[in-house]
Amino acid sequence: MSGDGHLWSALPVPAIELDADARILRVNGTGEMFLNTSERSLQGSRLGAKIALSINVDDAIDRITGTGGPLYVDGAKLTLPGGELREVNLQFSPLATSAGDTGHVLVLLQPRSGAEHLGWVQGSQVATRQAIGMAEMLAHEIKNPLAGITGAAQLLSMSLSTEDRELTDLIVAESRRVVALLDQVEHFGDLRPPACASANIHDILDRARATAQVGFAPGMMIAEHYDPSLPDVWVDSDQMQQVFLNLLKNASQACKGEGKIEIRTFYEGGLRLRLPDGGHASLPLQVEVIDNGPGLPADIANHVFDPFVSGRENGTGLGLALVSKILTDHGALISVDSRPGRTAFRLSLPIAPAPNRKGT
């Protein structure tokens, strides 16, 4: 690819090529416009030196070098040289050049838009909160008459023939479906900060798995590969259980209720998130939810965490958006790697401060 200038210039997304020393070798035209800076001013610099990212670039490069495969990071925060803050999805991929050079890395930046920003930029924060507040209020108001409609249909069905009861049953079923959707909207509109405390991540996962197997995934095989030595995690347990339930439900639906889900936990030191104040938060606890379904549809693969984006007919597109919101509120990260036969959602979570860990 290094020798194909026409292809490089034609890339429709911001792209950066790093050399074997992880220094910027070149930036395509779309990248220059997005970053609002010239390729010449960036060449020779390390990626994180002039373009501050909320992930540790060296860790990302080490990971793809070790695995030989790409790394996807959803919702990374990027600070431009002029101080402007933006949110992007990142893809790091090993790059074989036409000259035979090794160790090069291609970095693609997919600008994000929509409700997933959730207030990282002050101007959009106000608008986002207003929009979410309005949606939450409408959801609450719509549920009241729906309850009346459902009750009236159930009473009416008691005096109808079997054939006519099919119509009232349809009214009840559709009303309940709308209520379920409105419940998701209300969850998405909850802007209260998480009530974090020390918790055992495996206890949370076990509760989510048990709920899934007696509920929406009775035909799925769920395998656990836990690292029992992991320290406590610092999360809101109820919210995190909701995250895992949504991911398990997404996996079950992708496999149409028949397939295999793997849940892995492990420790990876060195993964850090850059905070808005310039500090860093360590995110060493890793959880992966992996399914053997068909993979994400290509047309939505880069937008699965956006609200109202769904690859299923009649899907609401709020499940993964809620996952992204909860993890953002926790200062955690989520990424996805998907191909036919294997889709893996990976969460990077903070450990509990030492004084708060159970047993310390």
Side-chain angles (χ1 to χ4, degrees), residues 82-115:
E84 182 181 353
L85 183 66
R86 294 187 179 179
E87 188 170 358
V88 295
N89 296 334
L90 295 172
Q91 178 179 340
F92 294 82
S93 301
L95 182 63
T97 71
S98 58
D101 298 321
T102 60
H104 287 216
V105 174
L106 175 67
V107 184
L108 299 179
L109 300 88
Q110 177 65 49
R112 298 191 70 180
S113 60

Side-chain angles (χ1 to χ4, degrees), residues 51-102:
I51 306 169
L53 286 166
S54 60
I55 67 165
N56 188 304
V57 176
D58 291 335
D59 287 344
I61 293 174
D62 288 345
R63 189 181 300 177
I64 67 169
T65 301
T67 63
L71 170 68
Y72 302 88
V73 179
D74 176 75
K77 309 305 179 292
L78 178 150
T79 305
L80 301 181
E84 182 181 353
L85 183 66
R86 294 187 179 179
E87 188 170 358
V88 295
N89 296 334
L90 295 172
Q91 178 179 340
F92 294 82
S93 301
L95 182 63
T97 71
S98 58
D101 298 321
T102 60

